[in-house]
Amino acid sequence: METRLVIVDDDALVRAGLRLMLDGAEGIRVVGEAADGGDVPQVLDAHPADVVLMDLRMPGVDGIEATRRVRARPSPPAVVVLTTFDTDTEVVGALRAGAAGYLLKDMPPARIAAAVRAAAGGEPVLAPDIARRLMDTVAAGGGEARAARQALDRLTGRERDVAVEIGRGSSNAEIGRRLYLSVPTVKAHVSSVLVKLGVENRTQVALLVQQAGAA
């Protein structure tokens, strides 16, 4: 299955490099580009996509606000942030805006391509250093931890088990093996977890699980 990709970055050389690197990579086709977050809706109207690879710091609409706008669209594509910036505020802000992942531009091309394919399949994607820092950040959350635990209390026992596995970064197949469930059953539980927690994607589930200290 082909993954349609839109690249968003204010640097024309970066966009050209990403297109050269990713267009034609296994299962990926670059269908559009944007130089600013404010241009993304028009690009998606003209070129429907499965994944948006999003820079953060742009002169007009930044990547966090652009991610929020993309995720508010009907049947939105997944958004994966690709940036040189990794402050705690930006990481958490992007994930709360609905990003399915957060990568740094110094990652190997093959890892970026794999992350695009994973995001298209609904899997969360975080650079290893980002994942460790995110866990440290949410561990200090205080009131946020209480709110996260209260949110998880809305789940059934099996849904909570699935949510915890998502928080550990497990794929649907891995969750099925560990909990002795079929993949379709896992997908049904994931959908129910998203609705009950009021979140948009698995990465936000993982964020809540980490905040609650449940992983």
Side-chain angles (χ1 to χ4, degrees), residues 163-182:
V164 168
E165 289 298 330
I166 292 173
R168 293 170 177 162
S170 302
S171 67
N172 287 343
E174 290 169 337
I175 294 172
R177 287 195 297 271
R178 290 170 183 164
L179 301 182
Y180 304 101
L181 300 171
S182 68

Side-chain angles (χ1 to χ4, degrees), residues 102-119:
Y102 199 108
L103 307 176
L104 300 178
K105 288 180 179 177
D106 61 0
M107 290 183 69
R111 293 284 300 278
I112 296 174
V116 168
R117 290 189 292 268

Side-chain angles (χ1 to χ4, degrees), residues 52-132:
V52 175
L53 201 56
M54 182 79 75
D55 191 20
L56 274 190
R57 296 188 183 179
M58 293 175 281
V61 175
D62 67 30
I64 292 177
E65 177 58 28
T67 295
R68 192 173 292 112
R69 295 181 186 181
V70 168
R71 295 301 301 169
R73 294 170 64 90
S75 302
V79 177
V80 175
V81 169
L82 180 66
T83 182
T84 56
F85 304 103
D86 62 349
T87 68
D88 295 344
T89 299
E90 287 170 320
V91 172
V92 175
L95 298 181
R96 285 179 174 161
Y102 199 108
L103 307 176
L104 300 178
K105 288 180 179 177
D106 61 0
M107 290 183 69
R111 293 284 300 278
I112 296 174
V116 168
R117 290 189 292 268
E123 303 291 341
V125 285
L126 292 173
D129 289 348
I130 295 297
R132 286 192 292 272

